[in-house]
Amino acid sequence: MEALSSNEIIENYIEKLIYGSFKVGSMEVALDVKLVQEVVNYPETVTKMPLPTPYLEGIFNLRGAIIPIVNLRELLGLGEIEITGTEKVAIVECQGAKIGLVFDSTSEILRISKEDIVPHSKENAQDAFMSGCIKLHEDSRMLHVLNIDSLVKISNISDLLTKQKISTGVLTHKDFQRNMKKCISFSVGSLQMSFEITGINEVIKVTELKESHVQCDLCLGVVELRGLVIPIVDINFYLEGTGYRSSDVVDQKIIILRNQEICIGLLVDSVESILSFSENDLMPIPIFREKYKELFTGCISKEGEGDIVLLDHRVILDNPEIIEISKGHDLIYNKDYKDENSQRKQVINQSFISFTLGDMYGFEIGDIREIISYPKEISPSLGASSYIKGVLNLRGDAVTIVDTRKLYSMNSVEVDYEKSKILIFEAGDKLVGLIVDSLESIVTIDINSKIILPKIVTRDLESKFGKDLKEVITYNAGEEKDRVLTVLNVENIALRF
């Protein structure tokens, strides 16, 4: 056996560093493999984020962790190019949290010594993101070593790491019930967002936006709701998007946010669903914008609903510009309304979820556990009543799906899969879902001013719904004519199952 020279022995004992190389446009970059947890294909579903930064493509769910996707081409100033989906995403640790870096392709694994890395000259903007260069003598290639911690600043890193340490153990049914909350999801363009249901005062249909005397970019106009003039805020502009554009969307909605002092409306394209979640379901989102880190409560990921960003409505109502808009409108439009209502007895509100089955119907909001979109697949239930559509597996729970039109002998209609929803409620230890044509709105009514129609007027409804009919009420939704809402009784419906 041939003996090694002293130089060869020394060289073998020099610690080798292992780097992976990746291609980004015309640049080849390198990463310490200790920082790379895995490399995955570009995800099929990417959720766009409000308050976007130019280099943030969105977020995606990787086995229960929410990963922000950073476009290195954009960040390094290598020119804009549309993401095709053939790219690779390297999952790396940044300041203790996970982020995804988009590369055009992976290249090779390199073993080098520390002496092979030379410092950058810091002559251009790109160099701020590099810790040095690797020069490969074999083929005269130059690789730029990325400094992960200099790429992005995660504003909520402390809160993010705290949440990631919380155990996500399985909750018992009682624990789930005790910790369960509800949120209402809505869409604005390509954004899917939500508020906790306790933060929403009301949801109304857009009838007519009137011009406001308080002129600013954030205010789109006003609507009048039961005598109160409410400024309508451009949520897209608030989230530093492109601003409101005249939409072809039919049946846009206005989400009313309110506290003791402030009342505003947010114009959205649609209200999608009501979801139940627990604190354990909330996945933390790394936030790159210090200014709005308190706005994002987390991300809710539900099968069939995608990833939905949960916003804190209190942050919006505490915004100085929002406060100024609301109080400015109160001074101009609502002084008499405020004076009159301050002298009335205490307001006690009652909220309803309204939906359509040809006509308008509703449930008290606390009766409904969840609202979901019409599922792609419902398993048939053999031997069941004719109005039982089948059974749905909802995250491990069996939900009996009811054809509500058949249940009440209504005319059958073809299901509109985009608009149709399923309202889920509890029937003892079972879950039942009622198919409805569409979700209409959330109606909040002062019980002091609620008008319940007498039985002589509602005989036809009583003959159709029997004991399932709770009450028929009229209310004003800011239109010339009052609306009629037929409220159904969940407890009596549940007795059927």
Side-chain angles (χ1 to χ4, degrees):
M1 181 175 177
E2 187 178 344
L4 295 174
S5 68
S6 59
N7 286 338
E8 288 174 322
I9 293 173
I10 293 171
E11 184 175 334
N12 282 346
Y13 275 92
I14 294 175
E15 182 182 0
K16 291 290 185 179
L17 304 176
I18 303 177
Y19 277 77
S21 66
F22 303 85
K23 291 183 178 178
V24 187
S26 59
M27 182 182 288
E28 193 168 6
V29 300
L31 274 172
D32 188 334
V33 294
K34 293 178 183 177
L35 300 176
V36 182
Q37 298 192 358
E38 61 183 302
V39 176
V40 299
N41 293 327
Y42 195 89
E44 292 181 5
T45 303
V46 175
T47 301
K48 294 296 183 182
M49 280 288 289
L51 302 170
T53 51
Y55 54 80
L56 179 61
E57 291 295 325
I59 58 176
F60 78 106
N61 187 341
L62 180 65
R63 298 187 298 277
I66 295 299
I67 310 293
I69 301 177
V70 174
N71 187 331
L72 278 179
R73 272 181 177 269
E74 183 73 41
L75 186 64
L76 299 176
L78 298 176
E80 295 183 18
I81 189 169
E82 187 175 346
I83 296 290
T84 63
T86 60
E87 296 81 4
K88 299 292 183 181
V89 179
I91 309 301
V92 302
E93 189 173 288
C94 177
Q95 303 156 42
K98 294 178 182 179
I99 65 171
L101 303 178
V102 180
F103 298 96
D104 293 333
S105 62
T106 56
S107 186
E108 59 186 305
I109 299 295
L110 308 168
R111 292 178 177 269
I112 61 172
S113 63
K114 289 182 180 179
E115 288 73 19
D116 292 326
I117 301 177
V118 296
H120 257 291
S121 59
K122 308 294 182 185
E123 292 179 355
N124 56 55
Q126 292 174 355
D127 294 338
F129 304 119
M130 310 296 177
S131 58
C133 290
I134 300 172
K135 187 171 183 180
L136 301 180
H137 300 289
E138 303 84 26
D139 50 13
S140 300
R141 285 154 58 205
M142 184 73 74
L143 277 64
H144 303 270
V145 180
L146 284 175
N147 182 347
I148 297 297
D149 287 336
S150 70
L151 288 178
V152 294
K153 176 176 172 53
I154 301 176
S155 300
N156 62 333
I157 189 65
S158 176
D159 181 54
L160 185 70
L161 295 180
T162 300
K163 288 181 180 178
Q164 286 181 347
K165 290 176 184 175
I166 295 174
S167 171
T168 55
V170 177
L171 293 174
T172 65
H173 183 71
K174 288 184 178 178
D175 287 335
F176 179 77
Q177 291 298 321
R178 184 165 57 249
N179 294 289
M180 188 170 64
K181 299 180 179 179
K182 294 177 184 176
C183 70
I184 293 180
S185 66
F186 59 93
S187 64
V188 180
S190 61
L191 299 176
Q192 293 287 324
M193 297 173 283
S194 64
F195 290 117
E196 268 197 54
I197 205 164
T198 54
I200 293 178
N201 183 258
E202 198 162 340
V203 178
I204 62 174
K205 290 181 68 172
V206 177
T207 51
E208 179 187 5
L209 283 183
K210 297 179 181 178
E211 187 176 349
S212 169
H213 295 305
V214 180
Q215 296 291 330
C216 69
D217 292 333
L218 200 53
C219 183
L220 295 170
V222 297
V223 295
E224 186 174 341
L225 183 65
R226 297 187 288 276
L228 178 67
V229 175
I230 301 173
I232 305 304
V233 168
D234 183 350
I235 188 172
N236 224 2
F237 191 86
Y238 173 82
L239 296 174
E240 298 184 10
T242 55
Y244 173 75
R245 295 177 181 175
S246 182
S247 176
D248 294 331
V249 176
V250 179
D251 292 336
Q252 286 180 296
K253 300 288 195 292
I254 293 173
I255 296 176
I256 307 294
L257 301 183
R258 191 172 191 171
N259 59 23
Q260 290 184 336
E261 300 293 332
I262 308 301
C263 182
I264 61 162
L266 303 177
L267 182 64
V268 302
D269 289 342
S270 65
V271 172
E272 298 294 332
S273 58
I274 293 180
L275 301 173
S276 296
F277 69 97
S278 71
E279 289 293 339
N280 291 47
D281 293 324
L282 267 183
M283 293 178 286
I285 307 171
I287 303 299
F288 300 155
R289 302 282 295 276
E290 176 72 27
K291 181 179 177 183
Y292 289 103
K293 68 178 183 181
E294 302 299 330
L295 179 61
F296 302 101
T297 304
C299 182
I300 301 170
S301 184
K302 293 286 187 181
E303 185 181 351
E305 301 292 336
D307 298 327
I308 299 167
V309 177
L310 182 63
L311 306 180
D312 189 336
H313 70 282
R314 295 167 297 185
V315 175
I316 296 177
L317 292 175
D318 288 342
N319 180 280
E321 193 170 359
I322 296 291
I323 292 172
E324 188 177 339
I325 289 171
S326 178
K327 291 191 172 181
H329 282 82
D330 282 347
L331 286 172
I332 295 173
Y333 298 102
N334 296 325
K335 189 175 185 307
D336 292 342
Y337 177 92
K338 296 275 184 178
D339 292 343
E340 179 185 334
N341 279 269
S342 65
Q343 298 170 13
R344 290 176 56 192
K345 53 186 173 182
Q346 183 182 3
V347 173
I348 303 174
N349 286 329
Q350 188 175 18
S351 294
F352 301 89
I353 294 168
S354 66
F355 57 91
T356 60
L357 283 164
D359 295 320
M360 185 92 72
Y361 299 90
F363 288 112
E364 286 195 46
I365 202 165
D367 291 339
I368 299 301
R369 169 171 162 167
E370 195 164 333
I371 297 178
I372 62 173
S373 298
Y374 197 95
K376 293 180 180 178
E377 187 174 334
I378 299 174
S379 301
S381 184
L382 300 177
S385 301
S386 61
Y387 55 77
I388 302 295
K389 187 80 173 176
V391 177
L392 170 68
N393 183 346
L394 183 67
R395 301 185 295 278
D397 290 326
V399 183
T400 301
I401 304 300
V402 176
D403 185 331
T404 315
R405 284 182 168 272
K406 273 191 178 180
L407 177 63
Y408 295 117
S409 302
M410 297 178 176
N411 294 331
S412 61
V413 297
E414 188 175 344
V415 173
D416 184 332
Y417 293 99
E418 289 188 5
K419 290 185 176 181
S420 186
K421 303 289 181 183
I422 295 182
L423 280 58
I424 298 172
F425 62 90
E426 295 181 1
D429 59 353
K430 299 178 181 178
L431 293 178
V432 177
L434 299 179
I435 301 172
V436 300
D437 295 348
S438 65
L439 182 65
E440 184 70 7
S441 62
I442 292 177
V443 180
T444 300
I445 300 171
D446 176 7
I447 65 172
N448 297 312
S449 60
K450 182 171 74 172
I451 300 175
I452 301 176
L453 296 183
K455 289 190 175 182
I456 193 170
V457 180
T458 61
R459 281 177 182 167
D460 289 345
L461 289 171
E462 286 186 7
S463 64
K464 176 183 288 188
F465 294 101
K467 292 181 179 180
D468 294 350
L469 178 67
K470 189 170 189 177
E471 59 186 2
V472 182
I473 61 178
T474 63
Y475 68 98
N476 186 274
E479 302 168 347
E480 289 185 12
K481 292 183 178 180
D482 287 350
R483 288 193 175 194
V484 176
L485 182 67
T486 302
V487 182
L488 302 180
N489 190 321
V490 160
E491 291 183 2
N492 287 343
I493 297 174
L495 294 176
R496 298 171 183 264
F497 306 96

